[in-house]
Amino acid sequence: MNRCLPHPSLILRIVLIGLMALLLCATSSHPAQPPFTDQTAAAGIAYYNTCGDPEKRFILEAHGSGAAFFDADNDGDLDLYIANGSTFSTYLEQSGPGNVLYRNTGEGTFTDATVASGTGHAGWSTGVAVGDINNDGYRDLYLSNYGSNTLYMNGGGNGNTFTDHTQIAAVGGDAFSASAAFFDFDLDGDLDLYVSNYVVFDALNRPEKPALCSFYGGIKVYCGPKGLVGAADVLYRNEGHGQYTDVTDPSGVSKANRYYGLGVVTADYNHDGLPDLFVANDETPNVLFHNNGDGTFDDVALIAGVAYNGDGDTEAGMGVDFGDYDNDGDPDIYVTHFFTETNTLYRNEDGTRFSDATTTAGLAAPTIDLIGWGTRFFDYNNDGLLDLFVANGHVYPQVERVETGSNYRQPNQLFENHGNGRFRPVDIAAHLQDKVSRGASFGDYDSDGDVDVFVTELNDGATLLRNELGQANHWVSVRLFCSGDNRDGIGSRIHLRAGDQSQWRYVSGAGSYLSHSDITAHFGLGTVQEIDQLDIIWPNGTSTILRNLPVDRMIAVQQQGAHSIIETGANPFKAFSH
C-alpha cells in the first residue's frame, strides 16, 4: 500500500479519468431522501476500534478490523460480531479491548453478550469468518489475528456459549493474517478454510525508531509492504469431527503464496459446479484459483485477465467481491485499491476470461482519489440490479499535514446500478461524518426486507447504516438448509426468474475486507409481484425447482433428498434451525 509517486503509465489515465469526473458530476444521482440512516447509538452499539498508535508508525497499525452479521443463536435474526485490534503493549499481555458479540433483540437493537458467550478475544484480531464446521446446525467463528488465529465452536442450544477449539482443529497458525473464507472446495460436505496472510512482521522485535519512507509532499510514513516478505496463505481441509489438515502444498495454492494477501472471496466463476477462489493481493498480482476437482487448484488469474488491471498494472488489492451486476448469469469481480489507483470492475465474459470494465461502468473517476477497503455487490433499492458499496479510508494520518490530494478520513461510497452497464454515485446518508473505514458487513438486521450495512472504523466508533428506501420495491430473501452435510448450503447457486428479470446469487458470506456477510440470498424485484420460478442448484449438484412464489417475504428451503420443504412468513428460518 505504500506508493511514493504514481507510475508514469498512470499519469495519462489519471488525466482522462479527471475529465470523466467532470461529466460524472452532472449525472450523479441525488435521491430526495438518502437511502441510509446512522443507527449506531440507537441500536445500542458502543464498540470502539483500537489499532495501534494514532501515528501509525508500523504497517500492522493501519489495517483495522472486520465484522460479521450471522445468526449465532438460531432465532432467525442477525447477530453481530466485531473484531478489535490492540496496541503493542496490550498485545504482549493479551489484554486489549477485546472483540465483541452483540445479540439481536429482534426490535432493532443489540445487547452485549461477549462475556456470557466467551468470545471476547483480547489479542490483536483482524478478520472474521463464519461457518458451521461440524454440521450441527450452529455457526462457528474463526478469527484471523496477528499471531495465532482463533476458532470458536458454537456450543449449540441457544447459542449462548462458544469454546476455543483452535488447538484441536489445528488452524491457529502464527502469522499476520487478513481475510479468511469457509467453503467446501472438495465437495465432501464439510467446510474447508482458506486464510490469507499479509506480510512477515515481528512485533516483539520491532525497532524503537522505525525506518520511514517518503510519501507525497515529503511526509515520512511507515514502509511497506514493498520490501517486506509476503506471508504465506494457508488452505485447511476439513477432515470431519472438527479437525483440519493443512493442504497448502498438495493443493497447489502454495505456488502463488508469497504475495501480500488481504481480501478473499469464493464463487463458481465458470459454472462447472466447483467452488473457485479469488485473492486480492496488495501491490502484487491478484490470484484466481481455479478448482480442478481433484483437490488441486491452478492460478489462472493472468490468463483470465484479473491478475492486473486493464492497463497491465499491478494494483494494491484490499477488498473484493463476486456478483453478477449485469444479470447475464456469471459472477463478476470488484476489487478495491489504493490512492491514485481506481477500484477495478472485472466483467466476466464467458466463464474463462474477464475484461476491465471500470471506466466504461463509470467507476474510475469517483474512486481514484480514495483508498477502498470493504465492499460488496448488493441491491440496496430492491430494483433487481446489484449496486456497490465501498468503505474508504487512508493509511497515513500524516496526509492531514500536507496537501496530497487524499484525506485521512474519507467518505464511504454507494454506487447505484442503472442497468445499462453503468453505475452512478448516490449520497449514502445525511450528516454522516467521514471516518477511516475498513471492514464492511452486509445483512438485513431489522428483517424489514432490505440490506443494511455495518462498517468498522480505524481508531473510532463503528457505523451501523439502516436501509430506509428498499421497502419501496418488492423483494424476497431465500435461506437454504441442507438435510445432511454442509447444513447452510454454502456454494449453492440460486436462479430467480420473475417477469422479465433473471437474477443469480451464490451462497457465501465471504468477501468484502476482513468481514463476513449474511448468507441469506436477497433479491430485489422492483414492481414484480410474483416469482415465476426459483431454481436452486445445491452443492452436490442436485437441483430444486420452485414455481409461483409470493414476494415481500422470507423463504426458507430445506433440501431432503430429491425433494424440498418450503417455509415462508415473517421468520421462516426457525422451522429448520436446530
Side-chain angles (χ1 to χ4, degrees):
M1 293 180 305
N2 185 10
R3 289 184 177 270
C4 294
L5 290 171
H7 189 278
S9 67
L10 288 176
I11 300 297
L12 179 60
R13 190 179 188 209
I14 292 172
V15 172
L16 293 174
I17 288 172
L19 294 175
M20 290 185 62
L22 297 177
L23 297 174
L24 188 65
C25 291
T27 57
S28 297
S29 299
H30 298 282
Q33 176 187 348
F36 292 89
T37 59
D38 184 350
Q39 297 293 317
T40 314
I45 296 173
Y47 162 93
Y48 183 93
N49 174 263
T50 298
C51 196
D53 187 273
E55 283 296 298
K56 310 301 176 196
R57 298 188 305 150
F58 298 93
I59 195 168
L60 174 61
E61 300 176 293
H63 277 249
S65 304
F69 273 129
F70 78 113
D71 187 358
D73 49 10
N74 282 351
D75 64 353
D77 49 31
L78 293 179
D79 307 299
L80 177 64
Y81 189 82
I82 318 172
N84 210 337
S86 189
T87 64
F88 287 115
S89 60
T90 56
Y91 168 72
L92 293 176
E93 301 169 357
Q94 293 290 289
S95 61
N99 302 343
V100 182
L101 175 63
Y102 283 107
R103 294 207 182 277
N104 194 326
T105 66
E107 299 175 350
T109 61
F110 293 86
T111 59
D112 190 334
T114 310
V115 174
S117 66
T119 57
H121 182 272
W124 198 312
S125 287
T126 55
V128 187
V130 177
D132 181 2
I133 70 165
N134 57 353
N135 290 319
D136 66 350
Y138 291 91
R139 282 146 290 284
D140 310 299
L141 277 169
Y142 185 78
L143 311 181
S144 52
N145 303 320
Y146 174 75
S148 178
N149 299 330
T150 305
L151 174 63
Y152 283 126
M153 290 283 287
N154 193 327
N158 57 6
N160 278 335
T161 59
F162 289 74
T163 57
D164 190 334
H165 195 72
T166 311
Q167 290 189 346
I168 296 174
V171 291
D174 188 21
F176 180 176
S177 295
S179 301
F182 282 109
F183 72 128
D184 184 10
F185 81 85
D186 51 6
L187 298 181
D188 65 349
D190 47 33
L191 295 180
D192 311 298
L193 175 64
Y194 188 93
V195 182
S196 68
N197 292 316
Y198 188 48
V199 298
V200 176
F201 177 79
D202 189 351
L204 299 179
N205 296 297
R206 69 191 187 282
E208 190 65 31
K209 292 185 178 181
L212 299 177
C213 294
S214 295
F215 190 62
Y216 294 91
I219 58 176
K220 298 298 183 180
V221 299
Y222 70 78
C223 300
K226 286 187 174 180
L228 300 178
V229 176
D233 294 359
V234 182
L235 176 63
Y236 296 103
R237 184 180 63 214
N238 193 328
E239 305 293 359
H241 308 292
Q243 296 180 317
Y244 284 81
T245 298
D246 184 339
V247 293
T248 307
D249 288 333
S251 68
V253 301
S254 60
K255 296 177 183 177
N257 222 2
R258 284 297 173 183
Y259 298 144
Y260 307 130
L262 286 178
V264 177
V265 67
T266 66
D268 180 7
Y269 77 91
N270 58 354
H271 288 195
D272 64 355
L274 299 167
D276 308 297
L277 188 77
F278 183 92
V279 184
N281 292 311
D282 188 7
E283 299 286 8
T284 47
N286 298 319
V287 170
L288 177 60
F289 285 122
H290 171 259
N291 192 332
N292 295 318
D294 59 0
T296 66
F297 292 84
D298 288 326
D299 177 13
V300 299
L302 182 60
I303 298 173
V306 295
Y308 309 94
N309 68 9
D311 294 332
D313 295 324
T314 301
E315 297 181 292
M318 268 83 94
V320 63
D321 197 30
F322 268 113
D324 184 13
Y325 82 94
D326 49 4
N327 284 342
D328 65 349
D330 48 32
D332 312 293
I333 304 173
Y334 190 70
V335 187
T336 59
H337 293 128
F338 196 71
F339 168 55
T340 73
E341 302 170 345
T342 71
N343 299 339
T344 303
L345 175 67
Y346 297 102
R347 184 178 60 226
N348 192 330
E349 300 294 354
D350 55 11
T352 58
R353 64 185 181 89
F354 294 76
S355 62
D356 186 338
T358 310
T359 302
T360 56
L363 294 169
T367 63
I368 197 167
D369 291 334
L370 303 171
I371 299 180
W373 302 87
T375 188
R376 191 166 181 86
F377 287 103
F378 76 118
D379 187 357
Y380 89 91
N381 56 359
N382 284 341
D383 66 350
L385 300 168
L386 289 178
D387 311 297
L388 272 169
F389 180 94
V390 180
N392 296 309
H394 215 295
V395 295
Y396 306 133
Q398 293 81 7
V399 298
E400 295 294 288
R401 303 169 190 168
V402 177
E403 178 57 45
T404 64
S406 187
N407 295 327
Y408 187 52
R409 295 169 180 80
Q410 299 181 354
N412 295 331
Q413 294 173 296
L414 178 64
F415 297 104
E416 183 178 311
N417 189 337
H418 280 217
N420 57 357
R422 294 185 62 81
F423 292 80
R424 294 289 185 272
V426 300
D427 296 330
I428 294 179
H431 311 298
L432 196 63
Q433 293 183 345
D434 292 350
K435 294 187 177 183
V436 188
S437 299
R438 290 295 186 261
S441 179
F442 300 76
D444 183 7
Y445 82 92
D446 53 359
S447 301
D448 64 349
D450 49 33
V451 179
D452 311 298
V453 185
F454 181 82
V455 184
T456 61
E457 319 285 5
L458 191 69
N459 293 98
D460 207 335
T463 304
L464 176 64
L465 296 171
R466 186 179 68 196
N467 193 326
E468 306 290 356
L469 294 187
Q471 303 93 330
N473 285 319
H474 296 296
W475 59 276
V476 67
S477 290
V478 181
R479 176 68 187 281
L480 303 183
F481 295 85
C482 289
S483 56
D485 296 340
N486 190 357
R487 293 292 297 274
D488 285 328
I490 303 300
S492 299
R493 289 186 293 136
I494 305 176
H495 185 199
L496 178 145
R497 280 173 277 190
D500 60 355
Q501 296 186 22
S502 174
Q503 301 183 52
W504 287 85
R505 297 289 185 270
Y506 185 83
V507 179
S508 172
S512 188
Y513 173 74
L514 306 179
S515 299
H516 169 94
S517 297
D518 180 27
I519 58 175
T520 303
H522 183 86
F523 297 87
L525 299 171
T527 59
V528 172
Q529 299 184 38
E530 185 180 60
I531 299 167
D532 299 323
Q533 186 165 311
L534 196 70
D535 296 274
I536 301 168
I537 304 161
W538 301 90
N540 63 6
T542 62
S543 61
T544 296
I545 299 177
L546 308 173
R547 294 186 176 89
N548 303 321
L549 300 174
V551 301
D552 297 335
R553 65 196 63 205
M554 301 178 184
I555 298 176
V557 183
Q558 184 177 46
Q559 179 192 35
Q560 288 197 345
H563 305 283
S564 295
I565 300 174
I566 306 171
E567 291 282 344
T568 66
N571 196 345
F573 306 149
K574 289 183 179 180
F576 304 132
S577 297
H578 296 276

